[in-house]
Amino acid sequence: MSLLEVSGLSVSYRAGGDDVRAVRGVDLSLEPGETLGVAGESGSGKTTMVLSLLRLLPATATVSGSVRFRDEELSEARWGRIRAIRWAEASVVFQGAMSALNPVRTVGEQIREPILLHEKVSEKQAAARANELLDNVGVSAARASSYPHELSGGQRQRVMIAMALACRPDLIIADEPTTALDVIVQAQILGLLTELVAESKIGMIMISHDLSVLSSVCSRLAVMYAGRIVEIGPSKQLMDTPEHPYTRALSGAFPTIGDPASRMAPTGLAGDPPDLRLALPGCAFEPRCPVARPECATADIELWPAGPGREAACVITRDRRSGATP
């Protein structure tokens, strides 16, 4: 049984009298102990998609589709059950710890809070657990009495990870956990997450704009564009031989260490993402695609097999696998 099964997930927001379709029919799964990275430009639907899994979106959002967590349908669960799942069974490392942490409470209090809410333990036991978690993430337990503004950016992000692990969840959602951190601290945080996930055998979904960051942590990658997954598969394959033109554009936007050609002339991507208020027939990437065909503007686009455990939403992939001649 999969830890998480998402089918036909769609999310829209009402804005200015129009529906903005931020997520459009996403299907994905996550096995226990697996790590899945989600990449894409700003506005591609990454954060909306993952926050909808635990029903963390504002009331202005309309969500449809199926989200099954450990074979339980979360879209139909009562709010009391959703509150019980959050932190205890599935937790979130939010983007920007300074915004997510309460500035008038110590970090120790904030780590103890979910433990006291979800587990039958005393204040002393919760404090001991909080101190242990801080030590595990590389922050001295003595800093439990500190307020968020008294910690560095890297320490605050580690506190967020400690909070996410407080109740020993089976699933962690990490939304841009290394944003605005310097490269040294980023490497430390990524190494910490990898180690904790491996030791605890939990599932993790991580969001980032950076494919190279995700590939260093996650076993599989999903690339989103205009609210849909356009390619998904093993990380190494997507990095080494990207199938979808958008995945190639993302991977080409980052220079390769040791490769002067890519460092001096990184590739970019012309144009802007589409307006998600529009119907968007065919492939939404078609106006920006360097290898687009006339049929891409109108054809029914879906994820087609692109190799073992790999799919891509591109007619070139469809034709290559079927042996058709373009």
Side-chain angles (χ1 to χ4, degrees):
M1 180 179 68
S2 296
L3 177 64
L4 182 70
E5 285 279 355
V6 178
S7 177
L9 180 65
S10 295
V11 181
S12 63
Y13 298 98
R14 194 69 178 171
D18 297 314
D19 286 327
V20 179
R21 299 186 300 157
V23 177
R24 305 183 299 135
V26 165
D27 300 328
L28 59 82
S29 64
L30 185 73
E31 300 299 322
E34 185 181 27
T35 52
L36 173 68
V38 183
E41 292 172 286
S42 295
S44 61
K46 306 183 301 298
T47 296
T48 292
M49 186 270 289
V50 296
L51 293 185
S52 70
L53 303 180
L54 297 180
R55 291 164 61 176
L56 290 167
L57 296 176
T60 55
T62 300
V63 184
S64 62
S66 173
V67 177
R68 299 191 69 83
F69 176 60
R70 297 195 304 196
D71 210 31
E72 179 179 0
E73 183 56 61
L74 298 189
S75 63
E76 300 173 356
R78 294 179 179 273
W79 276 111
R81 176 59 183 146
I82 294 296
R83 286 194 294 269
I85 289 174
R86 293 173 181 169
W87 294 111
E89 300 176 39
S91 58
V92 183
V93 179
F94 290 102
Q95 179 178 351
M98 194 61 187
S99 300
L101 293 172
N102 189 330
V104 298
R105 299 182 65 193
T106 68
V107 296
E109 288 179 290
Q110 296 182 63
I111 297 172
R112 292 196 298 271
E113 182 179 22
I115 300 173
L116 292 169
L117 283 173
H118 293 281
E119 299 182 11
K120 295 180 179 179
V121 297
S122 66
E123 286 275 359
K124 184 177 180 180
Q125 289 172 315
R129 170 71 175 152
N131 290 342
E132 178 188 356
L133 285 164
L134 286 173
D135 284 334
N136 288 345
V137 299
V139 178
S140 170
R143 302 310 300 268
S145 59
S146 299
Y147 290 89
H149 71 273
E150 297 177 310
L151 303 178
S152 69
Q155 288 174 321
R156 288 194 293 265
Q157 204 64 44
R158 290 169 186 265
V159 169
M160 283 295 300
I161 295 171
M163 289 177 64
L165 295 168
C167 296
R168 303 176 180 87
D170 295 316
L171 171 66
I172 287 182
I173 296 171
D175 184 7
E176 300 272 9
T178 59
T179 296
L181 299 180
D182 62 68
V183 291
I184 295 177
V185 176
Q186 174 179 278
Q188 293 172 348
I189 295 295
L190 293 175
L192 173 63
L193 281 171
T194 304
E195 181 181 344
L196 292 174
V197 168
E199 288 178 354
S200 305
K201 303 297 182 185
I202 59 180
M204 182 174 71
I205 300 176
M206 179 183 287
I207 299 173
S208 178
H209 297 86
D210 192 334
L211 279 176
S212 61
V213 165
L214 292 177
S215 65
S216 68
V217 177
C218 302
S219 56
R220 284 198 306 147
L221 292 179
V223 177
M224 290 190 70
Y225 184 78
R228 297 187 65 181
I229 292 178
V230 296
E231 186 168 1
I232 187 168
S235 297
K236 181 172 174 53
Q237 291 184 28
L238 262 70
M239 286 298 294
D240 292 346
T241 56
E243 183 79 13
H244 195 280
Y246 181 62
T247 308
R248 287 198 292 273
L250 284 183
S251 62
F254 297 94
T256 302
I257 295 176
D259 181 3
S262 69
R263 180 172 58 84
M264 298 301 294
T267 59
L269 182 60
D272 298 309
D275 187 341
L276 296 180
R277 294 172 297 180
L278 304 178
L280 301 179
C283 178
F285 187 60
E286 182 267 340
R288 307 172 72 188
C289 182
V291 293
R293 306 172 183 171
E295 67 171 312
C296 296
T298 56
D300 291 331
I301 305 297
E302 59 187 79
L303 285 167
W304 287 289
R310 186 176 180 185
E311 295 176 306
C314 181
V315 294
I316 296 176
T317 298
R318 175 201 64 189
D319 293 346
R320 183 184 301 120
R321 293 296 167 180
S322 66
T325 301

